[in-house]
Amino acid sequence: NAGVTQTPKFRILKIGQSMTLQCAQDMNHNYMYWYRQDPGMGLKLIYYSVGAGITDKGEVPNGYNVSRSTTEDFPLRLELAAPSQTSVYFCASGPSGHSGANVLTFGAGSRLTVL
Amino acid sequence: DQQVKQNSPSLSVQEGRISILNCDYTNSMFDYFLWYKKYPAEGPTFLISISSIKDKNEDGRFTVFLNKSAKHLSLHIVPSQPGDSAVYFCAAFSGYALNFGKGTSLLVTP
């Protein structure tokens, strides 16, 4: 039972490069999320999706793009990487939009450094 | 603007004693609160939750208390164990997503 799988675990990028963080879940959850965690800070929402084909911005979406073509996958694209995007990225999924039922399951995280 | 606040970055407790982690929130529309636990190099894992219609929820050694009038919740761990050493995040549901505090790092010493 894999849960939420994120790849890669670690990546170093040069300023201006682009990359995609992959996220896959095998729990048939409709709701998926991308958060970032900076040192000493809580998790901030980048983008979320309530189902295949539907995405929406969170608190800190600038510099990122997402797509949701299947229920299982929710990749996060970084265009023109900047040092401010150095962070740990967490993907999560949940079964329902109803808050009482939506306990999120998180992946192990992807640590990205932009130099 | 931080809507969920954990004002204590760290807490140290002796094994066997009670750990109390605190959390304040500003949005009175929040209707569901959760605590997540995070070990280094791992993702957060769900610990315990509480609905705004309750004032207490208990699960083994973990109890969460909610004071709606004060917009305050707390997590009690009794008795604390060294394996409880981790970062604890308080979170509240806002729309479709969780709104997190900055976390409190708990160290339980033998």
Side-chain angles (χ1 to χ4, degrees):
Chain A
N1 198 4
V4 178
T5 302
Q6 291 183 234
T7 56
K9 292 192 186 305
F10 304 94
R11 181 74 185 266
I12 298 176
L13 279 182
K14 292 183 180 179
I15 295 172
Q17 286 185 320
S18 301
M19 75 159 298
T20 299
L21 299 177
Q22 302 291 345
C23 176
Q25 53 95 5
D26 62 0
M27 297 171 284
N28 202 32
H29 285 169
N30 282 326
Y31 293 78
M32 294 189 75
Y33 307 83
W34 275 106
Y35 286 87
R36 60 177 284 175
Q37 185 190 15
D38 299 327
M41 303 295 288
L43 283 75
K44 293 190 176 181
L45 182 66
I46 306 171
Y47 270 96
Y48 68 97
S49 169
V50 302
I54 306 169
T55 62
D56 208 347
K57 296 177 181 178
E59 184 183 357
V60 289
N62 291 343
Y64 307 95
N65 279 299
V66 293
S67 60
R68 183 95 182 273
S69 57
T70 67
T71 299
E72 294 78 20
D73 300 298
F74 191 39
L76 177 71
R77 176 92 178 150
L78 282 74
E79 305 282 2
L80 298 175
S84 61
Q85 293 179 302
T86 294
S87 190
V88 181
Y89 293 82
F90 292 99
C91 179
S93 71
S96 167
H98 182 268
S99 59
N102 206 14
V103 173
L104 302 191
T105 300
F106 283 81
S110 298
R111 181 176 293 275
L112 176 67
T113 302
V114 182
L115 300 174
Chain B
D1 191 22
Q2 196 84 15
Q3 296 189 70
V4 178
K5 300 178 183 180
Q6 294 176 259
N7 293 319
S8 297
S10 62
L11 175 67
S12 183
V13 172
Q14 276 192 319
E15 181 178 7
R17 302 269 187 144
I18 184 171
S19 295
I20 300 177
L21 294 88
N22 294 302
C23 177
D24 297 294
Y25 62 96
T26 58
N27 189 340
S28 57
M29 298 300 291
F30 287 151
D31 63 352
Y32 207 75
F33 303 89
L34 301 89
W35 284 92
Y36 277 78
K37 177 179 179 179
K38 185 182 180 305
Y39 292 116
E42 295 183 9
T45 55
F46 171 71
L47 187 60
I48 193 170
S49 62
I50 188 166
S51 165
S52 61
I53 62 173
K54 296 186 176 181
D55 55 16
K56 177 182 174 181
N57 188 27
E58 199 169 350
D59 183 2
R61 296 186 297 113
F62 302 92
T63 303
V64 56
F65 295 93
L66 175 62
N67 183 333
K68 282 187 66 178
S69 61
K71 295 192 180 70
H72 177 83
L73 61 157
S74 60
L75 174 68
H76 292 210
I77 306 173
V78 184
S80 301
Q81 299 173 354
D84 296 330
S85 298
V87 177
Y88 290 78
F89 289 99
C90 173
F93 250 102
S94 175
Y96 293 117
L98 284 175
N99 198 320
F100 284 86
K102 293 184 179 182
T104 297
S105 178
L106 173 65
L107 176 64
V108 181
T109 56

